[in-house]
């Protein structure tokens, strides 16, 4: 991920070596400066307007989405959003990259790049390669083709160097319910209304809802695994013969009934709460695919596919959600995921994201993408419970608890279900699950929970006076406006904080949202803090050679603010279940650092490439390590900056 500098009024053009400039401007001065820059970039073609969307919640507002180009080639992740009212700009969010020095003439053709990928990896390319400028982690730029391919049960986005054919970067672009396979409990056994149509050909009935403005269709693949694969890898399309059907209109397949009814309910929630017409604002068709894989054939499927039985995902290429039918009881407790309304709404919310902010499914923007889907999933439950529409279980803040014993995530007490973080300081860092998108999402969704229900954050100890369940619509609408209209694809949690506060308006809602973000440790100036290199295990001297016999860990600060007086440096080692095992404080026994024993706080700045090191001799070989630095900014604000929790190398 690029190093980001949060740019606000007065710091409009702060830059870091790799040239990424981030903005979260909601104040008059910051907005004016960026407005002028954007207008000039529009004239030179450095940014181009991709679309203008009309706000469905606050009348008179429009949201411009702008993409960055380098000599006509799109810059991956270079994007801005600009909110306007009567020609006046109200907010600007996004990141643009400066100092791009790559040529735009590719050595390889798009077909060359695609063929190389197919031949070397045996994947199915499912979308035409697109030439982009890719900002690399090391701060440089590559001219690359971005190629989406179906690979071993996953949708992978590859970035192929347009000159050498080398893979520069890749990540999973399958927008799922959960990062790994999980378990669930039984179906509800309830009856519910399904909107279906009579089928002119067969004389029976099909799961096609023609009562709502968007057509809603459920496809039943009848456990034809290879047919499903063909649909996903693009070699075959779905037809009317695949639509779920029933001869006597007494629908008995619980998965079809739930998937179909819950899609309709999600449509109603999006329209009635947010004025959103379907997943894209234009009532484009909404579709689900069920019974792709048979739970009873679990062991016969390739291992990398088995997880899909207890998972669900949104698949943009054929605009469909795919819902797992559950696990056989001999493998684990997980029932058909269609039995959870929040799961169905979560997946459809990915469709909303795809058609709006299009948050990149990696790192913090990926965690925001996941958090938004959980927020919509839970919001839809409470909405329909209040309406008395027959939700067969109590609405709550836990995701998918009706299909597996504890559910996937709990927004109220994130730490209680699968060790999810309730605070920014507890975010996990690493490459698993695209940078832990299904883990770090609870930092955001917990802030949403606190803004409604109130309560004390268990890490910070900060209490929030929520708006109360009776005013949940205010919080839901503020988050929806921020995520759907205001955030760009490369958004950070800090930007989400600024956008949701701004969207909260002036009725006291904004103050509650600010308190909630404070409680979960997401600050306005997060990016002005510190960026760390990934943790390394090496020998006892910072920067020394790797010595596998010595368990020393270092964290290098690669950039940090000046005018920040360090008063305390600490670190901790956690077990794999996140139990805190040991604690280090600078100057105390067990904590060595590159600056020796002469260190006396405070220091007046954090220099680059500063190395911290803690001995973990005798400690665990797996688990996590985290560093913290406390100090005072020149503004007088006392702040503790945290690294994430890095897996022990
Ligand atoms: Zn998801």
């Amino acid at each position: 991920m690029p190093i980001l500098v949060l740019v606000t009024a007065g710091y409009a053009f702060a830059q870091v070596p790799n040239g990424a400039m981030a903005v979260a401007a909601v104040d008059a001065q910051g907005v004016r400066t960026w407005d002028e820059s954007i207008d000039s970039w529009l004239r030179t073609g450095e940014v181009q307007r991709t679309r203008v969307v009309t706000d469905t919640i606050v009348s008179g507002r429009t949201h411009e989405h702008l993409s960055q180009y380098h000599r006509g080639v799109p810059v991956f992740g270079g994007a801005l959003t600009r909110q306007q009212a009567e020609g006046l700009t109200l907010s600007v969010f996004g990141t643009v990259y400066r100092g791009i020095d790559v040529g735009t003439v590719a050595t390889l053709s798009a077909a060359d790049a695609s063929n190389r990928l197919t031949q070397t990896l045996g994947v199915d390319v499912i979308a035409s390669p697109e030439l982009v400028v890719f900002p690399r982690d090391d701060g440089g730029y590559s001219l690359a083709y971005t190629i989406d391919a179906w690979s071993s049960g996953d949708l992978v986005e590859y970035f192929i160097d347009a000159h050498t054919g080398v893979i520069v970067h890749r990540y999973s672009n399958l927008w799922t319910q959960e990062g790994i396979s999980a378990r669930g409990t039984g179906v509800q056994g309830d009856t519910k209304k399904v909107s279906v149509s009579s089928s002119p050909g067969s004389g029976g009935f099909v799961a096609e809802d023609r009562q709502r403005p968007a057509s809603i269709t459920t496809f039943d693949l009848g456990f034809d695994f290879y047919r499903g694969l063909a649909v996903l890898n693009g070699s075959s399309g779905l037809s009317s013969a695949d639509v779920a059907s029933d001869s006597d209109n007494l629908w008995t397949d619980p998965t079809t009934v739930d998937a179909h009814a819950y899609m309709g309910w999600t449509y109603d929630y999006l329209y009635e709460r947010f004025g959103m017409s379907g997943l894209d604002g234009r009532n484009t068709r909404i579709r689900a695919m069920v019974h792709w894989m048979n739970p009873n054939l679990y062991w016969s499927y390739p291992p990398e596919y088995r997880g899909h039985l207890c998972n669900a995902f949104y698949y943009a290429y054929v605009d469909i959600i795919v819902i797992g039918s559950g696990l056989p009881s001999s493998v684990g407790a997980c029932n058909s995921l269609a039995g959870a309304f929040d799961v169905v709404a979560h997946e459809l919310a990915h469709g909303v994201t795809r058609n709006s902010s299009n948050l990149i499914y990696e790192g913090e923007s990926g965690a925001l993408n996941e958090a938004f889907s959980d927020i919509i999933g839970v919001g839809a439950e409470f909405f329909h419970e209040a309406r008395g529409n027959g939700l067969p279980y109590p609405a709550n803040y836990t995701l998918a608890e009706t299909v597996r014993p504890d559910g996937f995530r709990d927004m109220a007490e994130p730490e209680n279900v699968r060790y999810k973080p309730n605070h920014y300081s507890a975010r996990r860092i690493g490459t698993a699950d695209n940078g832990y998108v299904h883990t770090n999402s609870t930092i955001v969704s917990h802030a949403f929970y606190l803004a409604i229900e109130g309560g004390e954050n268990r890490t910070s100890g900060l209490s929030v006076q929520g708006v109360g369940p009776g005013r949940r619509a205010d919080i839901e609408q503020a988050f929806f406006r921020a995520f759907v209209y205001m955030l760009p694809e490369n958004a950070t949690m800090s930007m989400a904080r600024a956008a949701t506060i701004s969207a909260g308006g002036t009725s006291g809602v904004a103050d509650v949202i600010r308190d909630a973000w404070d409680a979960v440790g997401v600050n306005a100036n997060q990016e002005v803090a510190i960026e760390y290199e990934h943790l390394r295990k090496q020998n006892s001297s910072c920067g020394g050679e790797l010595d596998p016999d010595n368990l020393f860990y270092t964290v290098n600060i690669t950039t940090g603010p000046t005018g920040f007086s360090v008063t305390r440096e600490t670190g901790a080692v956690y077990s794999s279940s996140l139990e805190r095992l040991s604690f280090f404080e600078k100057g105390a026994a067990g904590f060595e650092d590159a600056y020796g024993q002469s260190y006396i706080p405070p220091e007046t700045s954090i220099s680059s490439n500063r190395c911290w090191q803690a001995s973990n001799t005798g400690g665990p070989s797996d688990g996590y390590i985290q560093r913290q630095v406390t100090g005072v900014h020149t503004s007088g604000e006392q702040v503790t900056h945290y690294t994430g929790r890095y897996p022990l190398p």
Side-chain angles (χ1 to χ4, degrees):
M1 285 285 99
I3 296 163
L4 298 178
V5 174
L6 184 73
V7 183
T8 54
Y11 298 91
F13 290 96
Q15 283 192 31
V16 288
N18 76 343
M21 294 198 312
V23 57
V26 292
D27 60 299
Q29 190 186 340
V31 160
R32 191 180 318 120
T33 307
W34 274 84
D35 225 15
E36 288 166 7
S37 298
I38 289 171
D39 287 339
S40 95
W41 293 333
L42 277 168
R43 285 191 293 274
T44 61
E46 284 177 86
V47 303
Q48 294 178 23
R49 191 178 288 114
T50 52
R51 63 188 189 281
V52 179
V53 183
T54 302
D55 200 313
T56 55
I57 297 175
V58 177
S59 65
R61 301 282 176 90
T62 57
H63 302 271
E64 225 179 355
H65 291 253
L66 306 146
S67 293
Q68 184 185 359
Y69 287 77
H70 171 66
R71 296 184 208 155
V73 175
V75 178
F76 181 77
L80 297 162
T81 54
R82 179 160 70 167
Q83 179 186 196
Q84 295 186 312
E86 294 172 355
L88 190 71
T89 297
L90 303 176
S91 66
V92 178
F93 292 94
T95 300
V96 290
Y97 293 88
R98 313 305 293 163
I100 298 173
D101 53 2
V102 295
T104 53
V105 179
T107 307
L108 300 177
S109 70
D112 288 341
S114 183
N115 289 339
R116 278 182 187 227
L117 200 59
T118 306
Q119 284 158 14
T120 56
L121 298 181
V123 300
D124 297 311
V125 172
I126 58 167
S128 305
E130 187 192 7
L131 196 62
V132 299
V133 171
F134 179 75
R136 298 192 309 265
D137 281 349
D138 65 9
Y141 299 95
S142 294
L143 186 67
Y145 287 104
T146 169
I147 304 178
D148 285 314
W150 182 258
S151 168
S152 301
D154 196 2
L155 176 69
V156 180
E157 182 152 352
Y158 293 93
F159 296 83
I160 310 291
D161 188 292
H163 300 298
T164 65
V166 167
I167 297 173
V168 182
H169 186 64
R170 77 178 92 185
Y171 67 92
S172 169
N173 207 13
L174 199 64
W175 295 11
T176 57
Q177 176 65 214
E178 176 57 349
I180 51 172
S181 64
R183 299 142 192 276
T185 53
V187 283
Q188 305 303 303
D190 60 312
T191 57
K192 57 171 69 72
K193 175 178 177 287
V194 286
S195 296
V196 299
S197 312
S198 60
S199 171
S202 67
F205 297 84
V206 290
E208 201 167 312
D209 178 355
R210 294 178 192 150
Q211 296 172 18
R212 293 182 172 89
S215 80
I216 299 175
T217 309
T218 301
F219 295 88
D220 180 352
L221 289 207
F223 300 128
D224 187 339
F225 177 66
Y226 292 98
R227 172 107 184 88
L229 267 188
V231 170
L232 295 172
N233 72 18
S235 61
S236 175
L238 288 162
S239 75
S240 57
D242 297 310
V243 178
S245 61
D246 191 284
S247 57
D248 61 3
N249 211 19
L250 293 171
W251 293 75
T252 51
D253 174 46
T255 293
T256 298
V257 168
D258 283 348
H260 201 63
Y262 289 154
M263 283 197 291
W265 290 16
T266 304
Y267 180 93
D268 295 342
Y269 171 64
L270 291 172
Y271 185 74
E272 293 178 38
R273 185 69 106 204
F274 310 113
M276 184 86 174
S277 298
L279 309 185
D280 61 352
R282 296 188 298 275
N283 280 324
T284 295
R285 65 186 183 180
I286 299 171
R287 315 194 302 168
M289 187 165 96
V290 300
H291 297 325
W292 165 34
M293 294 170 64
N294 186 342
N296 295 324
L297 299 178
Y298 179 88
W299 295 107
S300 72
Y301 294 120
E304 64 270 27
Y305 280 85
R306 293 172 192 161
H308 288 308
L309 276 165
C310 190
N311 211 335
F313 58 88
Y314 170 74
Y315 202 67
Y317 296 89
V318 283
D319 62 272
I320 201 163
I321 61 170
V322 179
I323 301 172
S325 298
L327 296 174
S329 56
S330 59
V331 172
C334 176
N335 223 305
S336 171
L337 272 81
F341 179 29
D342 49 18
V343 168
V344 175
H346 173 112
E347 298 309 332
L348 292 178
H350 278 316
V352 174
T353 296
R354 184 73 179 194
N355 288 299
S356 55
S357 61
N358 202 16
L359 287 160
I360 296 168
Y361 204 58
E362 192 177 27
E364 285 201 15
S365 56
L368 289 167
N369 187 325
E370 273 302 305
F372 177 72
S373 276
D374 281 356
I375 285 167
I376 292 299
V378 161
E381 279 190 358
F382 280 104
F383 179 85
H384 280 280
E385 180 176 74
R387 288 289 172 90
N389 285 350
L391 184 69
Y393 57 89
N396 57 48
Y397 288 93
T398 310
L399 274 296
E401 79 288 350
T402 54
V403 296
R404 69 179 295 273
D406 296 323
F408 290 126
R409 290 171 293 280
D410 183 355
M411 293 155 67
E413 297 179 330
E415 65 281 9
N416 282 0
V417 175
R418 304 169 126 220
Y419 315 117
K420 307 291 184 183
N422 59 25
H423 193 269
Y424 192 71
S425 67
R427 73 195 184 281
R428 258 186 272 182
I429 307 285
T431 55
D433 190 22
N434 281 0
Y436 293 99
V437 297
H438 293 91
T439 297
N440 296 333
S441 64
T442 54
I443 299 164
V444 178
S445 60
H446 185 54
F448 170 82
Y449 163 83
L450 288 172
I452 295 172
E453 304 290 341
E456 182 183 313
N457 179 273
R458 290 187 178 178
T459 298
S460 67
L462 293 174
S463 286
V464 180
Q465 182 76 48
V467 296
R471 292 183 62 195
R472 68 169 52 255
D474 290 341
I475 302 300
E476 290 177 15
Q477 288 177 350
F479 273 71
F480 186 92
R481 283 196 70 227
F483 277 74
V484 171
Y485 296 125
M486 296 164 71
L487 289 183
E489 65 192 42
N490 46 34
T492 61
M493 291 193 194
S494 188
M495 285 183 201
R497 171 195 163 107
T500 51
I501 292 170
S502 172
T506 54
S507 58
V509 173
D511 292 333
V512 172
I513 294 173
R514 183 181 292 106
D515 289 347
W517 285 112
D518 283 348
V520 302
V522 173
N523 301 316
N525 60 348
Q526 210 87 58
E527 285 84 1
V528 188
I530 303 167
E531 283 289 334
Y532 301 86
E533 275 186 7
H534 283 193
L535 198 68
R536 283 203 295 264
K537 184 165 102 173
Q538 53 193 41
N539 78 3
S540 59
S541 64
C542 274
E545 296 301 309
L546 178 69
D547 176 358
D549 297 327
N550 282 320
L551 289 171
F552 285 90
Y553 301 106
T554 64
V555 177
N556 279 351
I557 300 175
T558 52
T559 187
T562 54
F564 179 78
S565 300
V566 179
T567 54
R568 190 174 185 222
E569 292 183 31
T570 58
V573 174
Y574 297 83
S575 72
S576 54
S577 61
L578 295 182
E579 177 193 1
R580 197 171 89 178
L581 299 174
S582 55
F583 182 78
F584 305 103
E585 176 148 12
K586 190 166 186 172
F591 192 117
E592 299 176 22
D593 75 277
Y595 294 87
Q597 300 300 314
S598 61
Y599 165 85
I600 302 171
E603 292 184 354
T604 52
S605 70
I606 295 176
S607 59
S608 63
N609 291 318
R610 176 198 182 94
C611 173
W612 289 340
Q613 188 160 287
S615 164
N616 183 39
T617 306
S621 57
D622 62 347
Y624 298 88
I625 190 166
Q626 180 177 44
R627 286 306 169 84
Q628 306 174 3
V629 55
T630 300
V632 183
H633 281 295
T634 44
S635 64
E637 185 186 14
Q638 179 168 319
V639 179
T640 297
H641 294 303
Y642 307 85
T643 69
R645 287 182 183 162
Y646 291 93
L648 291 176

